[in-house]
Structures are given as C-alpha cells and as structure tokens.
C-alpha cells in the first residue's frame, strides 16, 4: 500500500517508492538519499507539527510536511 | 601546488583545514559556516596552498554556497582534492565521492571521525574501500590531529593523469546509491545500532512539550552571560585597568613635559575614545563564546528546526534562524551566512531583517546609557531593547509576507548533525578571531575617528584652538543636523555627532559621546530619561554601519537594497524614537 511519507506514524519505517515533486527539489532529495528502495523512519515532528525529522541511511534529515508529502513510500521493500 | 578540501557540511572540514594550515578560522556545526573560500598554506610545506571549499552534499548544487564549491571543483580543476567524509555517515558521504570520481577529479578520501566509528564498534576496511573506489583512503581524526601527516603525504603524491584516465560514465542518483550500498556491504561491518547519546539528548531537547522551554532557557543564558553579572564583573575589572593606565600615562606625560596639545590629543582624544571601548571587550567576547558553543555543539541546527514554523509566519524559514542569531554578534558574518539558504526571496528578507537584531557593537551604548539613566534595572532596559528589535523584525516580516519582497515560503531541507562536544581549540580560535577583529577596529577606525573628532572639536575653521563647542568645526557641522533630532529629545551636538560617527562603526557611538561630553556630562546630551530612551531606540534601529551595508550590497547584488536598508531603517528609527520619547513623557 502506497502512502506519502508524512502519513507515517512516529517511529514507523517504510521504503521509498518514488519522489514526485518539481526540480530542483526532486534532484536534491534524491541526492540526499531518497532513492527507490531506501528505508526511511519518521523520527519525530517539530513541536508545532512541522517540519518532520526522518532517519535515513544512518543520518537525520529534516524536511517540511509539504515536501514529505511528495515522497511516496510503502511498507514492504520493493523487489 | 594547490590542495582543495571538499566535503559535506559538518564533516569536520574546517577543523582539518585548521590543523593543516594553523590558520585563524571559524568552525561550526551549522551546514555552511564556511561561507567564503578560505585559503592557507600547509604548516610543514608553505609552498602548498590549501583551499577550504564551502560544504556541499552533491555537485548538483542547490544553494548559492554549494554553487561556489561546485564551480571551483569543476572549472578551476585543482591538482589534488582531499575529499573529507564523516565516516559515521559514510553511506551518504560517498555520494559526493562517486560524483568527483566520475568527473575524473584527482581525489584522496579522508575518513574523518574514525575514533567515533571505532567506539560504535563498526569496522571499515580501508584497503577494501580503496580498491573498490580506486582512490587512496586515509583514516584521520581531525579534532585529535591523527593521520594528518599521512593524508598530506598521500595528497601530494596523487597522480592527476591516472585519475583523469579513471573518468567513468556518469550515473544517476539511484545508480550511485546502488553502487554505494554494494561498496558498503563489502568494506564496512556495522554493528546493530543502539540509541546514541545524541538520540538521548534529542529525546529531551526536541520533546514536544520541553523543546520551547529548553530553547527559551538556552537563549536566556546566552544573553545573561554577557549582559548579566558575569559580563558586568569583567567589565568593571577592565574599566579599573584602563583608568589605572590612563592616570599613569597622564602623570608620565606631564613629567616628560610634553606639550599641552599633544597631552590633549592622547588623553582627551585617543584615550577617551579607544579607552572607553576596552571595557566592552569581555562582553562581546562572552557573546561570541555563547554563539560559537551553540554552533559547534549542533544545538543551533535544532533551534532552526523548532523555529521553522514560527519563522514562516514572518515570511522567513528555519534556515533564517542562524543568520538572525549571528546578527546579535555582528551583521556582516550574519548576512554572509544566508548563502546556505536556497530561496532567493527568503534570503533577501533574512538579509534585510538581520540588522534589526541588535549587533554586539551597539552593546556599549545600551549598557552605558542604561546604567546612567535606568540605574534601578539596567538589565531589564537592555532586554527591552533586544526584544524591541526582534518584535519589530517580526512585525515587518509579517507585514511584507506574501508581497513581492517576501513571497511564498520555500522548502527547508537540512541535516541535523549529531551533537558533538565543541573543542576548546575551535572555540578559542573563533574568540581570538573576534577579539583580534575588535582590537583592529579599535586601533584603526576608532582611533582615527577619535583623533579626528578631537581635532574638529578643539579647533575652529580657521585652525584656531578653541574650548567652546559651538565655535569649533564639529559644533558648526553638527549644528545643521541637531534640529532633526531635537523633537526626539537628543538634539545635542554630542549625541548627534556620535550618531554620525556610528555610521562608520557602531563602537564609535560610545567613544564619541565620552569624548564630547566626558563621563560626568553624558547625561547633559539628552533631555532626561525619555531623551536617553529615545536615543538608545534610535541607535538600535538606524542605518547599519558601512561594513554591514557593503555586505548587504554584496549578498543582494545591488546598492538599491543596501540603500533601502539604510534609509528605511533610519526613517523607522526616527519614528520609533519619537514614539518612545512621547510615551516616556518627554
């Protein structure tokens, strides 16, 4: 089942399917490691609900809820 | 021979640069403290030049700062590049490494923070990593100075020809990460991740309920240390030192029977000017100490994270937080720090609002006048001024939000680096740099200004010595401006001249006031408490100094914005001062 990254619960992990947003942000997100098949964990959200903090490839990255909505993920690892 | 240092932000690049060159430089945890190209030469081999490039994650530059680094790497073609990576986040770091290799750039890979990797229980097979990548790999610890000699040796013996021959087909991001995962499987053994110390700190510091209280507490401490009793104590100590020297010097000048005018120049001119500033050196140093601790520890990035949402209400973003906070130190580096911001309009707004964060050079004016006119609670008066600047910035940001100046808010993508203990070396280096800067200004711009003002005050236009202010050159010129400020309660020659001199450097304001009025007479320059309050308000808001205006022009690319900042702020200052004067019953 596909969902957007911002739909994950805190502490939940999923695998990236694709990044659907405009350049140059798309390119930046891919370069930072959001490539298909990458495991991401929603670590926490800021006290006011935005931005989010995700754990991926062994480091912590923050991004806005709106941008996280452009990253599609799924529960199981794609083939 | 030129060696370039390239790597992600927060990988310890600047620490390595310092230990390679011994140069005076600032190191921070904020992605992008190295906003300028820093150069130096190797300590052991002075003929080798080292360039510290701004941190970048990828050759597909995203921020203006990354563009600088990319352009250098791709177009200047350095003979050797040290690609320094934080070995604790090897996977992401190797992305840039692969890009560099694809372009045939001669690279030696420096694995930094290997001590941390070992503590975690991970094992990196450097020989295997080297053969997989086809480049030399050296383990180092920049903060402990381990492996530096071997790194230099390897870098100096790189063969650019061989690297060019190794140039490969360019891949896309997904392919690169596939390759990296493959390399990681072969060369790295990772232990099961446990909760790190960083995670534990974040659990408290970024806790939904505790985050803002902790933030408020930290900010209070940052301002209390320089402006509260610690700073005050040091300031008094410094004052008595300066007074001692001054007494000794004037006795000595009399004993050496030096002519009266020279005595006047040294004691009433230079000493009254430059000497009156020295007590503020510890205050400014404490402020910069706090800022550099926040930066180096990694907490500043967290501040940006929790402040993103509130800042958006003002047409700014989390990325604006660090420039704004640095603005309390000095506007010039603060404005330069905006280069790590992607969105042009957000960046412009940040640059224009930064001068409203009261800079360190204005501190002497506040503390001087607050203790003179508000003896009951000078600390509260100073807090009010700082808060006033912030509130005005928030109001203006809010007002301009959605207009063509501000525009829609853009994305905020940032790494949260792990907490690291700031090293004494880095913090002291940054403070020494600030102290040096302050002293240089004190003994150049401010010394010269003090001497010139003394001359203009002591002589008439016919170069006749005079003791009356009204007849002196200074009195006549300042007299033209006095009527503008009379409605604000500080239409005195001393007050107005100090403002004019403050355009060169804000430190000039106190030194000029002292010079023209003398410590006992400073209160005569204002119409009572209301006039003094209006004056500090004006100082808080009026045009940034020349150095800051130049920085604004450079960052925003045209004099138009710098001029707008100067005129707009001065107009705002006049209006706010007038309101304060009226409210205080002047």
């Amino acid at each position: 089942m596909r969902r957007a990254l911002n739909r994950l619960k805190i502490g939940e992990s999923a695998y990236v399917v694709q990044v659907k947003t405009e350049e140059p942000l798309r390119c930046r997100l891919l370069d930072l490691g959001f490539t298909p098949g990458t495991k991401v964990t929603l670590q926490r959200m800021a006290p006011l609900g935005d931005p989010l903090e995700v754990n991926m490839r062994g480091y912590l990255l923050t991004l806005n809820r709106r941008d996280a909505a452009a990253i599609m993920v799924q529960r199981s690892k794609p083939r | 021979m030129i060696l370039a240092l390239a790597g992600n932000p927060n990988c310890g690049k600047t620490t390595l640069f310092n230990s390679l060159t011994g140069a005076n430089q600032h190191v921070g945890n904020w992605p992008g403290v190295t906003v300028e190209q820093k150069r130096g030469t190797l300590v052991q081999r002075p003929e080798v030049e080292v360039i510290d490039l701004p941190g970048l994650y990828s050759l597909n530059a995203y921020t203006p700062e990354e563009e600088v680094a990319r352009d250098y790497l791709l177009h200047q073609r350095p003979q050797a590049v040290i690609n320094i990576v934080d070995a604790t986040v090897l996977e992401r770091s190797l992305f840039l490494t692969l890009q560099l290799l694809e372009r045939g750039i001669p690279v030696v890979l420096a694995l930094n923070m290997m001590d941390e990797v070992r503590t975690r229980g991970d094992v990196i097979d450097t020989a295997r990593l080297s053969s997989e990548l086809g480049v030399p790999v050296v383990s180092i610890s920049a903060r402990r100075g381990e492996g530096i000699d071997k790194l230099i040796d390897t870098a100096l013996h790189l063969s650019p020809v061989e690297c060019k021959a190794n140039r490969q087909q360019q891949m896309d991001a997904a392919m690169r990460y596939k390759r990296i995962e493959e390399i990681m499987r072969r060369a790295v053994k990772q232990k099961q991740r446990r909760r790190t110390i960083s995670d534990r700190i974040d659990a408290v510091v970024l806790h939904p309920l505790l985050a803002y209280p902790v933030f408020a507490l930290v900010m209070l401490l940052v301002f209390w240390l320089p402006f509260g009793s610690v700073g005050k104590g040091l300031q008094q100590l410094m004052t008595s030192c300066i007074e001692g020297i001054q007494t000794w010097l004037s006795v000595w000048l009399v004993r050496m029977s030096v002519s009266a005018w020279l005595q006047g120049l040294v004691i009433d001119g230079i000493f009254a000017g430059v000497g009156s500033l020295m007590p503020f050196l510890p205050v400014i140093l404490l402020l910069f100490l706090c800022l550099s601790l926040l930066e180096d520890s990694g907490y500043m990035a967290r501040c940006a994270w929790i402040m993103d949402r509130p800042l958006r209400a003002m047409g700014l973003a989390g990325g604006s937080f660090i420039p704004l906070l640095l603005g309390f130190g000095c506007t010039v580096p603060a404005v330069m720090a905006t280069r790590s911001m992607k969105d042009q309009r957000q960046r412009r707004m940040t640059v224009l609002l930064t001068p409203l964060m009261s800079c360190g050079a204005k501190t002497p004016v506040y503390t001087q006048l607050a203790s003179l006119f508000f003896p009951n609670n000078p600390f509260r008066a100073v807090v009010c001024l700082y808060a006033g600047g912030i509130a005005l910035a928030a109001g203006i940001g809010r007002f301009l939000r959605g207009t063509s100046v501000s525009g829609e808010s853009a994305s905020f993508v940032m790494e949260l680096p792990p907490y690291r203990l700031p090293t004494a070396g880095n913090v002291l280096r940054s403070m020494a740099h600030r102290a040096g800067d302050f002293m240089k200004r004190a003994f150049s711009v401010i010394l010269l200004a003090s001497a010139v003002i003394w001359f203009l005050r002591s002589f008439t236009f016919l170069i006749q010595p005079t003791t009356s202010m009204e007849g002196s050159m200074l009195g006549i010129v300042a007299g033209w401006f006095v009527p503008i400020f009379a409605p604000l309660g500080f239409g005195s020659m001393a007050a107005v001249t100090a403002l004019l001199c403050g355009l060169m450097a804000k430190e000039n304001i106190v030194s000029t006031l002292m010079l023209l009025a003398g410590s006992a007479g400073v209160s005569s320059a204002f119409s009572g408490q209301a006039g003094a309050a209006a004056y500090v308000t004006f100082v808080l808001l009026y045009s940034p100094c020349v150095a800051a205006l130049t920085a604004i022009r450079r960052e925003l690319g045209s004099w138009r914005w710098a001029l707008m900042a100067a005129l707009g702020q001065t107009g705002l200052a006049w209006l706010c001062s007038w309101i304060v004067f009226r409210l205080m019953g002047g």
Side-chain angles (χ1 to χ4, degrees):
Chain A
M1 184 188 66
R2 285 188 186 187
R3 283 177 296 171
L5 177 57
N6 63 336
R7 297 281 175 192
L8 291 186
K9 285 197 277 289
I10 288 175
E12 197 182 351
S13 302
Y15 296 87
V16 175
V17 180
Q18 61 170 332
V19 179
K20 287 200 290 192
T21 183
E22 281 159 35
E23 301 294 356
L25 182 64
R26 195 184 95 92
C27 175
R28 165 83 346 171
L29 292 175
L30 287 172
D31 287 1
L32 285 173
F34 285 103
T35 54
T38 308
K39 186 180 175 188
V40 291
T41 310
L42 181 63
Q43 199 78 9
R44 58 169 65 86
M45 55 174 112
L48 297 177
D50 191 31
L52 309 175
E53 180 189 321
V54 297
N55 192 335
M56 159 187 68
R57 298 193 185 274
Y59 76 104
L60 297 173
L61 188 81
T62 85
L63 71 172
N64 288 123
R65 198 166 263 287
R66 191 189 58 197
D67 300 325
I71 300 171
M72 301 308 291
V73 296
Q74 67 184 30
R75 176 101 27 101
S76 57
K77 194 174 166 82
R79 27 143 214 114
Chain B
M1 166 99 189
I2 294 178
L3 257 181
L5 298 187
N8 294 169
N10 306 307
C11 67
K13 194 164 48 61
T14 307
T15 311
L16 175 63
F17 180 69
N18 285 339
S19 65
L20 285 176
T21 62
N24 232 343
Q25 230 227 354
H26 190 72
V27 194
N29 235 336
W30 163 245
V33 161
T34 323
V35 283
E36 283 185 317
Q37 241 187 50
K38 301 248 158 71
R39 286 164 185 263
T41 54
L42 282 184
V43 180
Q44 299 93 331
R45 304 269 305 265
E47 75 277 12
V48 179
E49 197 178 7
V50 187
I51 294 181
D52 185 17
L53 297 174
L56 80 168
Y57 290 107
S58 157
L59 286 179
N60 304 317
Y62 188 68
T63 63
E65 189 169 66
E66 287 191 331
E67 278 167 24
V68 173
R70 178 205 57 197
D71 289 347
Y72 184 86
L73 286 166
L74 294 186
H75 304 311
Q76 302 292 316
R77 297 237 141 233
Q79 284 107 315
V81 174
I82 294 180
N83 175 206
I84 173 171
V85 301
D86 177 348
T88 63
V89 284
L90 191 60
E91 194 174 329
R92 189 210 54 216
S93 311
L94 285 178
F95 189 85
L96 177 66
T97 311
L98 287 193
Q99 282 185 320
L100 293 174
L101 295 179
E102 285 163 23
R103 302 286 188 142
I105 294 169
V107 168
V108 50
L109 190 67
L111 294 179
N112 195 19
M113 323 233 181
M114 280 302 274
D115 41 344
E116 261 182 68
V117 172
R118 278 191 288 267
T119 326
R120 282 185 179 187
D122 292 355
V123 180
I124 299 179
D125 182 348
T126 48
R128 187 69 203 256
L129 190 60
S130 173
S131 67
E132 288 287 336
L133 291 167
V135 293
V137 175
V138 183
S139 297
I140 64 165
S141 169
R143 58 161 60 204
R144 294 190 188 174
E146 290 167 10
I148 307 293
D149 291 334
K150 188 169 176 219
L151 178 64
I152 294 174
D153 199 53
T154 314
L156 295 182
H157 291 98
L158 269 184
S159 155
V161 185
E162 212 172 287
C163 294
K164 243 172 228 153
N166 279 348
R167 177 182 289 190
Q168 297 150 9
Q169 181 73 44
Q170 281 190 37
M171 303 188 264
D172 71 4
M175 282 160 70
R176 268 186 214 119
Y177 272 112
K178 281 250 161 58
R179 173 86 186 103
I180 291 169
E181 283 160 20
E182 203 179 290
I183 295 171
M184 293 287 289
R185 269 198 300 277
R186 289 178 191 163
V188 183
K189 274 201 199 72
Q190 275 180 337
K191 263 192 136 181
Q192 192 64 39
R193 279 280 156 271
R194 279 174 309 167
R195 261 162 72 92
T196 60
I197 299 170
S198 233
D199 294 336
R200 276 168 221 201
I201 299 175
D202 272 344
V204 176
V205 163
L206 299 182
H207 185 274
L209 293 177
L210 295 177
Y212 287 111
V214 169
F215 171 77
L217 213 67
V218 171
M219 289 301 132
L220 200 71
L221 197 68
V222 166
F223 285 97
W224 177 81
L225 200 66
F227 303 116
S229 33
V230 177
K232 185 138 287 164
L234 288 174
Q235 194 181 335
Q236 270 155 7
L237 197 74
M238 202 75 169
T239 311
S240 28
C241 283
I242 294 291
E243 277 168 1
I245 297 172
Q246 190 167 2
T247 320
W248 176 83
L249 192 67
S250 51
V251 170
W252 185 76
L253 284 175
V254 172
R255 195 185 306 153
M256 298 302 283
S257 46
V258 173
S259 63
W261 73 266
L262 191 59
Q263 277 185 39
L265 174 65
V266 172
I267 300 296
D268 304 328
I270 293 165
F271 235 92
V274 176
S276 63
L277 269 183
M278 287 304 129
F280 300 106
L281 181 62
V283 178
I284 288 161
L285 280 185
L286 281 173
L287 186 66
F288 275 107
L289 169 72
C290 293
L291 290 177
S292 91
L293 285 178
L294 281 187
E295 240 178 337
D296 291 2
S297 64
Y299 185 61
M300 229 192 229
R302 266 79 181 172
C303 295
W305 186 64
I306 61 171
M307 290 305 285
D308 179 64
R309 188 73 188 271
L311 284 168
R312 271 170 199 280
M314 301 155 55
L316 304 173
S320 318
F321 182 79
I322 280 88
L324 290 173
L325 194 64
L326 291 178
F328 290 112
C330 175
T331 310
V332 177
V335 164
M336 291 194 328
T338 59
R339 283 187 209 168
S340 57
M341 295 180 69
K342 166 73 183 156
D343 186 76
Q344 273 308 311
R345 283 184 295 192
Q346 258 171 16
R347 189 162 166 246
R348 189 190 305 148
M349 271 303 274
T350 311
V351 167
L352 292 176
L353 292 180
T354 299
L356 294 178
M357 305 299 118
S358 180
C359 80
K362 294 174 187 169
T363 314
V365 193
Y366 304 155
T367 37
Q368 189 80 30
L369 293 188
S371 51
L372 255 167
F373 290 94
F374 309 93
N376 299 331
N377 203 339
F379 182 67
R380 196 172 63 191
V382 174
V383 169
C384 283
L385 281 164
Y386 275 90
I390 298 168
L392 260 171
I396 295 171
R398 178 90 221 176
F399 179 71
L400 290 179
R401 197 169 74 119
T403 66
S404 62
V405 187
S406 169
E408 272 305 296
S409 46
S411 312
F412 172 57
V413 184
M414 189 187 72
E415 181 191 358
L416 287 184
Y419 290 100
R420 295 213 159 97
L421 215 56
T423 58
N426 279 344
V427 173
L428 289 178
R429 213 184 277 269
S430 125
M431 282 175 68
H433 176 66
R434 289 301 162 191
D437 218 41
F438 183 82
M439 297 304 268
K440 228 184 320 186
R441 281 160 80 85
F443 286 97
S444 56
V445 183
I446 294 153
L447 183 114
L448 190 71
S450 301
V452 169
I453 292 160
W454 172 83
F455 174 75
L456 294 176
R457 200 251 336 238
S458 309
F459 292 89
T460 64
F461 271 113
L462 301 168
I463 318 297
Q464 296 294 317
T466 174
T467 46
S468 87
M469 263 196 196
E470 288 71 28
S472 67
M473 286 183 264
L474 189 64
I476 292 167
V477 175
W480 302 334
F481 292 95
V482 165
I484 305 174
F485 298 104
L488 308 180
F490 50 88
S492 71
M493 202 202 78
V496 173
T497 313
L499 289 179
L500 290 176
C501 297
L503 288 175
M504 292 308 297
K506 300 286 162 130
E507 293 97 332
N508 265 334
I509 298 174
V510 156
S511 56
T512 310
L513 271 178
M514 297 303 260
L515 202 71
L516 294 181
S519 186
V522 166
S523 45
S524 65
F526 315 102
S527 336
Q529 217 180 8
Y535 192 68
V536 284
T537 311
F538 195 86
V539 170
L540 166 70
L541 300 173
Y542 88 118
S543 169
C545 69
V546 175
L549 287 174
T550 318
I552 293 173
R553 189 208 79 87
R554 206 171 42 218
E555 292 312 314
L556 298 185
S558 82
W559 276 112
R560 195 165 65 101
W561 291 106
L563 204 68
M564 215 180 83
L567 295 179
Q569 278 190 231
T570 307
L572 184 72
W574 197 95
L575 196 70
C576 292
S577 286
W578 185 77
I579 294 169
V580 166
F581 187 58
R582 288 289 152 202
L583 282 179
M584 302 268 299

